[in-house]
Amino acid sequence: MPTPTASPILGFATPEGTRTYAARFTGKIAAGNFRELVVTNLSVSSLGIGTYLGEPDAATDQGYTGAVTAAVEGGINLIDTAINYRLQRSERSVGAALRKLSAAGFSRDEVVLCTKAGFLTPDAEMPADASEYFHREYVEPGVFRAEEIAAGCHCLVPRFLENQLERSLRNLGVACIDVLYLHNPETQLGEVSRDEFRGRIRTAFQCLESAVSAGNIRTYGLATWNAFRQAENSRDYLSIEEMVKLAREAGGEDHHFRFVQLPFNLAMPEALTHANQQVGGRQVSMVQAARPLGITLITSAALLQGQLMRGLPPFVASAIGLADDRERALQFARSAPGVTSALIGMSRAEHVRQNLGLLEIEPASRDQFLRLFEQGSQA
């Protein structure tokens, strides 16, 4: 699959542009479906589109391009991808959708575009010899040294992050990315000490601050799986307060570390229920910790790769209502206090159209959440 060669789409998400986007759907989308982000003041839809699953083939490429296009046309302006998703092909599918949307009259400043860096990935297809590919592509040019790789697949050194950002900009066909996440940074903790890890994160944050100064990204964050859900004594646990401290050391009080992504769904509610973070000496949950530190929470795995689309306990329907378990699971994920947007993997336009109906309904109320947990504790 060729890398796009057209001139990049200029611009980035702005408060004015995203408010203009939200205004397009006045009267079509229920109240509460656009949220203003902490610090950045962008208006973002309560559902976002993810681009993780699927084969690295042309049919899936086209499916994702159609899905992203349909999502933005239907009221979803948060797009999430990663350079390693489908061997760089998901980024390119998103890029193709952005070009279609631009031609249809959607401005770059209306859409919040997020990608991730950290995992090694081939380009478009698996090479016959992956080790030879990575040695030729990265080791020989001096992008990274073998000893800088963790778990055989993960790297945070600035030379690699700069290389990946350049590729992502080209794949996406844009001049600037709104959020660049370090992808599952807790992967490093399987092989390096806490002190070494802190040093690597600080250095990576300094690199990302430089990318902000250069105009290649607007903000950055951490996209995690285990890090912010674990007990404090777990090997791959991270303290959000400590991560913000490292960002201040890297970029000063006006640092650009503003986002955390983590799983949150009916089967994985720890961000809401597990008080594993300390902020200002208080023990709180992740959703309570984020806002005082200027962090926007975006959640992933809303449907847990389809596992929550059916078979939910009856008390969930009793508390949340709605037509089916898919809608109930999504309603839970996007409605939790402190959560800005819930990502759903959608690889075809028909998946998008199926989920857009939820935007015509207001998010769940606090009373519904309380009823859910009360009934769940009695079940």
Side-chain angles (χ1 to χ4, degrees), residues 80 86 144 170 192 195 208 248-249 295 340-341 343 347:
D80 184 84
R86 300 175 49 256
F144 58 64
R170 191 163 62 244
V192 304
D195 285 344
L208 297 179
R248 289 185 182 126
E249 293 172 4
I295 299 295
T340 293
S341 188
L343 299 172
S347 60

Side-chain angles (χ1 to χ4, degrees), residues 102-117:
S102 179
F106 288 89
S107 174
R108 173 69 183 87
D109 65 1
E110 297 181 74
V111 177
V112 181
L113 178 61
C114 314
T115 193
K116 311 177 188 76

Side-chain angles (χ1 to χ4, degrees), residues 281-305:
R282 293 178 58 241
Q283 199 77 17
V284 295
S285 68
M286 190 62 185
V287 296
Q288 293 170 301
R291 189 174 187 87
L293 294 171
I295 299 295
T296 289
L297 284 188
I298 305 295
T299 62
S300 60
L303 294 175
L304 199 55
Q305 297 180 7

Side-chain angles (χ1 to χ4, degrees), residues 12-13 38 41-42 86 90 118 134 182 204 206 224 238 253 293 316 324 331 369 372:
F12 45 81
V38 178
N41 299 320
L42 301 175
R86 300 175 49 256
S90 282
F134 288 121
L182 299 182
Q206 289 169 342
T224 66
L238 291 182
E253 289 300 319
L293 294 171
V316 177
D324 56 40
Q331 182 75 319
F369 255 80
L372 177 69

Side-chain angles (χ1 to χ4, degrees), residues 307-320:
Q307 296 179 51
L308 300 177
M309 291 177 63
R310 60 190 63 85
L312 296 179
F315 72 83
V316 177
S318 175
I320 292 181

